[in-house]
Amino acid sequence: MIVAFENAILMRGARLAWAWVASLFLLLATAAAAEPTRIVVHADQPGTRISRYLTGACIEDVNHEIYGGIYSQMLFGESFQEPATTAAPIGFQGFGGRWSVKEGVLTGVGPDGPKLVNFPTDGPVTEVRVEILLPDAGHGNGGLLVRVANPGVGADNFDGYEIALDAGHQYVRLGWHGHKWRPIADVPHPIPIGTWIPLSVRLLDTALEVFVDGKLVMRHDNLNPLPGGTGIGLRSWVKEVRYRNLTVAQPGRETTALPFIKSGNEEQEVSHMWRPVERGSAEGRMRLDDDRPFVGGQSQEISFAGGSGEVGIANRGLNGWGLAFEAGKPYEGYAWLRASNPAQAAQAAAANAADAWVALESGDGKQTLAEGRLGAAKGDWSRFDFTLTPSDTIRGGRFVIKLKQPGSVAVGHAFLQPGAWGRYKNLPVRRDVAEGLVDQGITVLRYGGSMVNHPEYRWKEMIGPRDRRPPYRGTWYPYSSNGWGIVDFVAFCEAAGFRAIPDFNMDETPQDMADFVDYMNAPADSPWGQRRA
């Protein structure tokens, strides 16, 4: 096994390689100026044998090569950490991403540069103010849009100016969108994390000024008038961003507050990667519960409020693209459930401790392929295992957790994977993907990329039962899971006969790395060997 520290060894090696190439070209150019250059190949004099470990492949989670790829977990959003899907607040138009409001604070997140736009009436806007909170220093930014026109879903699908705060790079970014992106300036400025930052933009006839915490950071003068858009907006890029106290100033008017108010027609409060299910006359009540969550900050509560039929939640896998089931082949999994409130937990035989069920269904829910009864969650968190064998082969299916009678249950974690038939050597690894790598004849596999640069990417958070590993704000996804991590990667490489090259965050300490060596190699009666065992 080879260990790589992302952006350290690899980048340093790349610089040395380029320096060597540049020196070679300079040498050749100098020689060419003096006399003709000859290259002589002695085919009968073999040189040093090239190692079979010279080339290989790399996997990381930027393109879902883990979740939705090599990892056997079929569900996405298994720990219910994503906020609920909601409609845009009153007075705003949403273009992509997910926006939620709680106690006057707006939270926006999405990988595609989502926008929330308002078009104030009564004249042009001369100043916009808002407070922004960036929860971490990972990849991405968040900020304001001004002079917005022609907005649509898509990263650059609008006209206007963007002013963003970037805590990772510690700068304020100004750029222009004309259905394409043109950066204007990145001005270094302290951007604290976990703190509300006042940001304001003053719009003049042919210029704009940007203030952070009341201090002028930059002024942009344009030879032509600014675009004629009248809208203002909020935008997050890649990461979760929070906003509050949005106001606008207009000529001849007092400063106007634009509060974030729920529209009143939101969907049920269901974690974004899941969808509510109601059948018959049954009425469901869904709620994200931050009281005693299983992991992370919240769990999902399901309540059968009345009527007859079924109430539950459904998951269609990565990005909701649908699950594939093979007829006659078992799928196994588990769900962590508990009674949804303390009163219910105290009454093991309470009437509202309803039995929970799981099912494999077609994407539209019209066909049930397999169904199983888990039982009632009568106390604190308990694990319920199940095996489901679908009656038909289907693409675009879904997995459902549901109730069939009045009652409530909280769900903290759900897991679904193919049985041993679909996994590689009984590891949490898809057999088809693993065998595809083996069939390529590769000898080395690297696990890493920009994902390792996030401060919460730590190997010690990737050990132990995968359902207990804490979620974290990742580089590519703000609700990342540690369900498959460095230790799982090394185990797979060992089984496949690959040399493993795991990347570690540069901020791991020497002691952290010494502990990793012990975890992987020390006897089972040593402290870290016991953890491994």
Side-chain angles (χ1 to χ4, degrees):
M1 180 179 66
I2 299 173
V3 173
F5 292 88
E6 189 69 3
N7 288 350
I9 294 176
L10 297 177
M11 295 303 294
R12 195 174 301 126
R15 287 194 293 269
L16 290 173
W18 279 113
W20 184 87
V21 171
S23 299
L24 176 61
F25 276 105
L26 180 60
L27 178 62
L28 292 176
T30 303
E35 60 182 33
T37 301
R38 292 192 310 142
I39 298 177
V40 179
V41 178
H42 298 281
D44 60 340
Q45 300 177 21
T48 302
R49 184 176 182 84
I50 296 175
S51 169
R52 63 189 296 265
Y53 299 114
L54 181 64
T55 60
C58 175
I59 58 173
E60 62 170 309
D61 213 20
V62 58
N63 291 315
H64 303 299
E65 295 158 17
I66 308 304
Y67 276 81
I70 197 168
Y71 184 26
S72 61
Q73 163 71 298
M74 299 174 68
L75 307 179
F76 194 61
E78 72 268 47
S79 296
F80 305 95
Q81 298 306 299
E82 291 82 358
T85 300
T86 60
I90 293 174
F92 292 84
Q93 300 177 37
F95 299 94
R98 300 185 297 280
W99 303 92
S100 59
V101 177
K102 186 174 183 179
E103 298 177 352
V105 174
L106 173 76
T107 299
V109 66
D112 56 349
K115 302 173 289 295
L116 197 66
V117 180
N118 179 285
F119 289 93
T121 58
D122 301 319
V125 172
T126 57
E127 187 173 18
V128 186
R129 295 185 180 185
V130 72
E131 293 179 54
I132 295 177
L133 186 145
L134 303 174
D136 61 74
H139 180 62
N141 58 54
L144 282 169
L145 304 177
V146 295
R147 297 292 172 90
V148 177
N150 307 313
V153 176
D156 299 317
N157 193 11
F158 70 102
D159 299 322
Y161 282 87
E162 176 180 1
I163 303 92
L165 305 181
D166 192 313
H169 294 94
Q170 291 290 294
Y171 60 52
V172 181
R173 162 163 285 187
L174 172 65
W176 170 78
H177 293 263
H179 291 269
K180 60 182 179 181
W181 165 248
R182 188 184 75 190
I184 295 173
D186 292 332
V187 178
H189 192 81
I191 307 294
I193 61 173
T195 300
W196 288 105
I197 308 168
L199 171 65
S200 62
V201 180
R202 186 174 299 163
L203 302 169
L204 309 175
D205 288 339
T206 60
L208 63 78
E209 296 175 337
V210 177
F211 298 81
V212 176
D213 203 10
K215 299 177 182 178
L216 179 64
V217 174
M218 73 171 79
R219 175 186 171 104
H220 173 59
D221 291 280
N222 201 343
L223 296 179
N224 300 311
L226 290 170
T230 60
I232 61 100
L234 306 170
R235 171 180 159 103
S236 64
W237 176 252
V238 177
K239 70 190 309 169
E240 176 185 297
V241 183
R242 299 170 196 167
Y243 307 86
R244 72 180 186 186
N245 298 332
L246 175 64
T247 64
V248 296
Q250 296 171 280
R253 291 173 55 86
E254 294 183 358
T255 298
T256 303
L258 299 177
F260 303 123
I261 303 173
K262 292 184 178 181
S263 65
N265 62 346
E266 291 87 354
E267 297 180 21
Q268 295 273 22
E269 196 176 61
V270 177
S271 184
H272 180 73
M273 290 300 166
W274 298 74
R275 291 293 181 267
V277 172
E278 292 182 346
R279 290 195 178 97
S281 62
E283 296 181 3
R285 298 287 185 270
M286 312 296 174
R287 185 175 71 92
L288 291 175
D289 184 9
D290 58 6
D291 177 36
R292 298 178 298 135
F294 180 69
V295 292
Q298 62 189 28
S299 298
Q300 179 69 58
E301 183 179 288
I302 306 170
S303 296
F304 191 128
S308 61
E310 297 178 347
V311 167
I313 53 174
N315 189 291
R316 289 172 51 89
L318 179 64
N319 293 333
W321 291 334
L323 303 176
F325 302 123
E326 298 291 333
K329 295 184 176 180
Y331 292 79
E332 60 189 39
Y334 53 83
W336 281 90
L337 311 176
R338 69 162 169 79
S340 61
N341 57 67
Q344 183 178 334
Q347 301 174 18
N352 66 339
D355 285 343
W357 295 70
V358 290
L360 306 181
E361 300 180 351
S362 59
D364 57 9
K366 294 181 179 180
Q367 181 183 3
T368 299
L369 309 176
E371 186 178 68
R373 178 177 177 177
L374 300 183
K378 299 178 180 180
D380 210 344
W381 292 110
S382 299
R383 173 170 159 161
F384 292 77
D385 295 278
F386 60 84
T387 299
L388 298 171
T389 303
S391 58
D392 198 1
T393 295
I394 196 170
R395 299 292 181 267
R398 69 185 191 181
F399 169 76
V400 177
I401 303 174
K402 59 188 179 180
L403 302 176
K404 294 189 175 186
Q405 66 188 71
S408 299
V409 66
V411 189
H413 185 94
F415 186 83
L416 177 70
Q417 68 176 357
W421 63 269
R423 303 200 310 278
Y424 185 73
K425 298 186 177 181
N426 211 34
L427 295 170
V429 173
R430 279 176 48 178
R431 179 192 293 270
D432 55 350
V433 177
E435 291 180 346
L437 289 169
V438 172
D439 290 345
Q440 289 181 37
I442 68 171
T443 56
V444 177
L445 191 63
R446 171 180 175 250
Y447 180 45
S450 296
M451 67 188 200
V452 311
N453 290 333
H454 197 280
E456 295 181 14
Y457 188 90
R458 292 288 191 273
W459 78 266
K460 289 181 179 178
E461 303 296 331
M462 305 175 190
I463 61 176
R466 64 192 69 255
D467 47 20
R468 300 297 184 96
R469 300 174 188 176
Y472 69 100
R473 293 185 294 272
T475 295
W476 300 114
Y477 190 62
Y479 311 104
S480 295
S481 170
N482 279 315
W484 202 87
I486 290 174
V487 173
D488 305 286
F489 163 75
V490 173
F492 164 62
C493 288
E494 183 178 28
F498 302 155
R499 176 160 291 181
I501 306 180
D503 280 20
F504 291 80
N505 191 292
M506 284 181 63
D507 292 326
E508 297 277 19
T509 68
Q511 187 60 55
D512 289 330
M513 298 312 301
D515 292 343
F516 178 78
V517 172
D518 278 352
Y519 183 87
M520 299 303 297
N521 300 291
D525 59 356
S526 67
W528 280 104
Q530 290 178 355
R531 296 283 297 274
R532 179 189 69 241

Short mmCIF file of all heavy atoms in Angstrom, two decimals, residues 340-375:
data_model
loop_
_atom_site.label_atom_id
_atom_site.label_comp_id
_atom_site.label_asym_id
_atom_site.label_seq_id
_atom_site.Cartn_x
_atom_site.Cartn_y
_atom_site.Cartn_z
N SER A 340 -41.19 7.61 17.98
CA SER A 340 -40.98 8.97 17.51
C SER A 340 -41.07 10.02 18.59
O SER A 340 -40.80 11.18 18.34
CB SER A 340 -41.98 9.30 16.41
OG SER A 340 -43.31 9.21 16.91
N ASN A 341 -41.47 9.66 19.83
CA ASN A 341 -41.51 10.66 20.90
C ASN A 341 -41.29 9.97 22.23
O ASN A 341 -41.49 8.77 22.37
CB ASN A 341 -42.84 11.43 20.88
CG ASN A 341 -44.03 10.49 21.01
OD1 ASN A 341 -44.21 9.86 22.04
ND2 ASN A 341 -44.83 10.40 19.94
N PRO A 342 -40.86 10.75 23.25
CA PRO A 342 -40.55 10.15 24.55
C PRO A 342 -41.72 9.41 25.17
O PRO A 342 -41.54 8.36 25.78
CB PRO A 342 -40.13 11.36 25.40
CG PRO A 342 -39.64 12.36 24.41
CD PRO A 342 -40.51 12.19 23.20
N ALA A 343 -42.94 9.95 25.01
CA ALA A 343 -44.11 9.28 25.59
C ALA A 343 -44.30 7.90 24.99
O ALA A 343 -44.59 6.93 25.68
CB ALA A 343 -45.36 10.14 25.37
N GLN A 344 -44.10 7.81 23.67
CA GLN A 344 -44.24 6.52 23.01
C GLN A 344 -43.14 5.58 23.46
O GLN A 344 -43.36 4.38 23.66
CB GLN A 344 -44.19 6.70 21.49
CG GLN A 344 -44.40 5.41 20.71
CD GLN A 344 -44.39 5.65 19.22
OE1 GLN A 344 -44.69 6.73 18.75
NE2 GLN A 344 -44.03 4.62 18.48
N ALA A 345 -41.93 6.11 23.61
CA ALA A 345 -40.82 5.27 24.03
C ALA A 345 -41.05 4.69 25.41
O ALA A 345 -40.60 3.58 25.71
CB ALA A 345 -39.53 6.09 24.01
N ALA A 346 -41.76 5.42 26.28
CA ALA A 346 -41.99 4.97 27.64
C ALA A 346 -43.10 3.93 27.72
O ALA A 346 -43.29 3.30 28.75
CB ALA A 346 -42.33 6.17 28.53
N GLN A 347 -43.85 3.78 26.64
CA GLN A 347 -44.98 2.85 26.64
C GLN A 347 -44.74 1.80 25.56
O GLN A 347 -45.11 1.97 24.41
CB GLN A 347 -46.28 3.59 26.40
CG GLN A 347 -46.55 4.67 27.44
CD GLN A 347 -47.79 5.49 27.10
OE1 GLN A 347 -48.61 5.07 26.31
NE2 GLN A 347 -47.91 6.65 27.72
N ALA A 348 -44.09 0.73 25.94
CA ALA A 348 -43.70 -0.28 24.96
C ALA A 348 -44.89 -0.84 24.22
O ALA A 348 -44.78 -1.26 23.07
CB ALA A 348 -42.95 -1.41 25.66
N ALA A 349 -46.04 -0.87 24.85
CA ALA A 349 -47.22 -1.44 24.20
C ALA A 349 -48.19 -0.36 23.74
O ALA A 349 -49.37 -0.62 23.55
CB ALA A 349 -47.92 -2.41 25.14
N ALA A 350 -47.69 0.86 23.55
CA ALA A 350 -48.56 1.97 23.17
C ALA A 350 -49.24 1.70 21.83
O ALA A 350 -48.69 1.07 20.94
CB ALA A 350 -47.76 3.28 23.08
N ALA A 351 -50.45 2.20 21.70
CA ALA A 351 -51.22 1.94 20.48
C ALA A 351 -50.58 2.57 19.26
O ALA A 351 -50.77 2.08 18.14
CB ALA A 351 -52.65 2.48 20.66
N ASN A 352 -49.83 3.67 19.46
CA ASN A 352 -49.26 4.34 18.29
C ASN A 352 -47.88 3.81 17.92
O ASN A 352 -47.19 4.39 17.12
CB ASN A 352 -49.21 5.85 18.48
CG ASN A 352 -48.26 6.27 19.60
OD1 ASN A 352 -47.93 5.47 20.46
ND2 ASN A 352 -47.84 7.52 19.58
N ALA A 353 -47.47 2.69 18.53
CA ALA A 353 -46.22 2.05 18.12
C ALA A 353 -46.55 1.10 16.97
O ALA A 353 -46.59 -0.13 17.13
CB ALA A 353 -45.59 1.30 19.29
N ALA A 354 -46.82 1.66 15.81
CA ALA A 354 -47.28 0.88 14.68
C ALA A 354 -46.16 0.06 14.07
O ALA A 354 -44.98 0.45 14.13
CB ALA A 354 -47.89 1.81 13.63
N ASP A 355 -46.52 -1.06 13.45
CA ASP A 355 -45.54 -1.86 12.73
C ASP A 355 -45.04 -1.11 11.51
O ASP A 355 -45.81 -0.50 10.78
CB ASP A 355 -46.15 -3.19 12.28
CG ASP A 355 -46.32 -4.17 13.43
OD1 ASP A 355 -45.69 -3.97 14.47
OD2 ASP A 355 -47.10 -5.14 13.26
N ALA A 356 -43.74 -1.18 11.28
CA ALA A 356 -43.14 -0.61 10.08
C ALA A 356 -42.93 -1.72 9.06
O ALA A 356 -42.68 -2.89 9.41
CB ALA A 356 -41.81 0.06 10.40
N TRP A 357 -43.04 -1.34 7.77
CA TRP A 357 -42.89 -2.27 6.66
C TRP A 357 -41.86 -1.71 5.68
O TRP A 357 -41.65 -0.50 5.61
CB TRP A 357 -44.21 -2.48 5.93
CG TRP A 357 -45.29 -3.15 6.74
CD1 TRP A 357 -45.96 -2.62 7.81
CD2 TRP A 357 -45.81 -4.46 6.55
NE1 TRP A 357 -46.87 -3.52 8.30
CE2 TRP A 357 -46.81 -4.67 7.53
CE3 TRP A 357 -45.54 -5.48 5.64
CZ2 TRP A 357 -47.53 -5.85 7.62
CZ3 TRP A 357 -46.26 -6.66 5.73
CH2 TRP A 357 -47.24 -6.85 6.72
N VAL A 358 -41.26 -2.60 4.90
CA VAL A 358 -40.39 -2.19 3.80
C VAL A 358 -40.85 -2.90 2.54
O VAL A 358 -41.46 -3.98 2.60
CB VAL A 358 -38.90 -2.53 4.07
CG1 VAL A 358 -38.35 -1.64 5.17
CG2 VAL A 358 -38.73 -4.00 4.41
N ALA A 359 -40.57 -2.27 1.39
CA ALA A 359 -41.02 -2.85 0.12
C ALA A 359 -40.13 -2.41 -1.02
O ALA A 359 -39.51 -1.33 -0.96
CB ALA A 359 -42.47 -2.46 -0.15
N LEU A 360 -40.06 -3.24 -2.05
CA LEU A 360 -39.47 -2.89 -3.34
C LEU A 360 -40.61 -2.70 -4.32
O LEU A 360 -41.47 -3.57 -4.45
CB LEU A 360 -38.52 -3.99 -3.83
CG LEU A 360 -37.41 -4.45 -2.88
CD1 LEU A 360 -36.55 -5.51 -3.55
CD2 LEU A 360 -36.56 -3.27 -2.43
N GLU A 361 -40.62 -1.55 -5.00
CA GLU A 361 -41.75 -1.21 -5.86
C GLU A 361 -41.26 -0.67 -7.20
O GLU A 361 -40.09 -0.30 -7.37
CB GLU A 361 -42.64 -0.15 -5.19
CG GLU A 361 -43.24 -0.57 -3.88
CD GLU A 361 -44.11 0.51 -3.26
OE1 GLU A 361 -44.11 1.65 -3.78
OE2 GLU A 361 -44.78 0.22 -2.26
N SER A 362 -42.19 -0.60 -8.14
CA SER A 362 -41.91 0.12 -9.38
C SER A 362 -41.80 1.61 -9.06
O SER A 362 -42.24 2.07 -8.00
CB SER A 362 -43.03 -0.12 -10.39
OG SER A 362 -44.29 0.31 -9.86
N GLY A 363 -41.25 2.36 -10.00
CA GLY A 363 -41.00 3.78 -9.73
C GLY A 363 -42.25 4.57 -9.42
O GLY A 363 -42.21 5.52 -8.63
N ASP A 364 -43.37 4.20 -10.03
CA ASP A 364 -44.63 4.92 -9.79
C ASP A 364 -45.44 4.32 -8.64
O ASP A 364 -46.52 4.81 -8.31
CB ASP A 364 -45.48 4.95 -11.06
CG ASP A 364 -45.78 3.55 -11.60
OD1 ASP A 364 -45.50 2.55 -10.91
OD2 ASP A 364 -46.30 3.47 -12.74
N GLY A 365 -44.94 3.26 -8.02
CA GLY A 365 -45.61 2.65 -6.89
C GLY A 365 -46.80 1.78 -7.24
O GLY A 365 -47.47 1.26 -6.34
N LYS A 366 -47.05 1.56 -8.52
CA LYS A 366 -48.22 0.77 -8.92
C LYS A 366 -47.99 -0.73 -8.80
O LYS A 366 -48.93 -1.51 -8.80
CB LYS A 366 -48.62 1.13 -10.35
CG LYS A 366 -49.12 2.56 -10.50
CD LYS A 366 -49.54 2.86 -11.93
CE LYS A 366 -50.06 4.29 -12.06
NZ LYS A 366 -50.46 4.61 -13.46
N GLN A 367 -46.73 -1.15 -8.74
CA GLN A 367 -46.42 -2.57 -8.65
C GLN A 367 -45.53 -2.82 -7.45
O GLN A 367 -44.47 -2.19 -7.31
CB GLN A 367 -45.72 -3.06 -9.93
CG GLN A 367 -45.37 -4.54 -9.92
CD GLN A 367 -44.62 -4.97 -11.18
OE1 GLN A 367 -44.31 -4.15 -12.04
NE2 GLN A 367 -44.33 -6.26 -11.29
N THR A 368 -45.94 -3.73 -6.57
CA THR A 368 -45.13 -4.13 -5.42
C THR A 368 -44.40 -5.41 -5.78
O THR A 368 -45.03 -6.44 -6.06
CB THR A 368 -45.99 -4.34 -4.17
OG1 THR A 368 -46.63 -3.10 -3.83
CG2 THR A 368 -45.14 -4.79 -3.00
N LEU A 369 -43.07 -5.37 -5.78
CA LEU A 369 -42.25 -6.52 -6.17
C LEU A 369 -41.91 -7.41 -4.99
O LEU A 369 -41.71 -8.61 -5.15
CB LEU A 369 -40.96 -6.04 -6.82
CG LEU A 369 -41.10 -5.02 -7.96
CD1 LEU A 369 -39.72 -4.57 -8.42
CD2 LEU A 369 -41.86 -5.63 -9.11
N ALA A 370 -41.81 -6.82 -3.80
CA ALA A 370 -41.51 -7.57 -2.58
C ALA A 370 -41.88 -6.71 -1.39
O ALA A 370 -41.83 -5.47 -1.46
CB ALA A 370 -40.04 -7.96 -2.52
N GLU A 371 -42.24 -7.36 -0.29
CA GLU A 371 -42.67 -6.62 0.90
C GLU A 371 -42.32 -7.42 2.14
O GLU A 371 -42.34 -8.65 2.13
CB GLU A 371 -44.18 -6.38 0.83
CG GLU A 371 -44.72 -5.49 1.93
CD GLU A 371 -46.22 -5.26 1.77
OE1 GLU A 371 -46.99 -6.23 1.94
OE2 GLU A 371 -46.61 -4.11 1.46
N GLY A 372 -41.94 -6.69 3.20
CA GLY A 372 -41.60 -7.36 4.45
C GLY A 372 -42.00 -6.53 5.65
O GLY A 372 -41.94 -5.30 5.62
N ARG A 373 -42.38 -7.22 6.71
CA ARG A 373 -42.80 -6.55 7.95
C ARG A 373 -41.62 -6.51 8.91
O ARG A 373 -40.99 -7.53 9.19
CB ARG A 373 -43.96 -7.33 8.56
CG ARG A 373 -44.46 -6.78 9.88
CD ARG A 373 -45.65 -7.60 10.34
NE ARG A 373 -46.14 -7.18 11.63
CZ ARG A 373 -47.22 -7.70 12.22
NH1 ARG A 373 -47.89 -8.68 11.60
NH2 ARG A 373 -47.61 -7.28 13.39
N LEU A 374 -41.31 -5.30 9.40
CA LEU A 374 -40.21 -5.13 10.34
C LEU A 374 -40.65 -5.29 11.79
O LEU A 374 -39.91 -5.81 12.62
CB LEU A 374 -39.55 -3.76 10.16
CG LEU A 374 -38.94 -3.45 8.79
CD1 LEU A 374 -38.28 -2.08 8.81
CD2 LEU A 374 -37.95 -4.51 8.36
N GLY A 375 -41.83 -4.81 12.10
CA GLY A 375 -42.29 -4.79 13.48
C GLY A 375 -42.36 -3.38 14.01
O GLY A 375 -42.12 -2.40 13.29
#
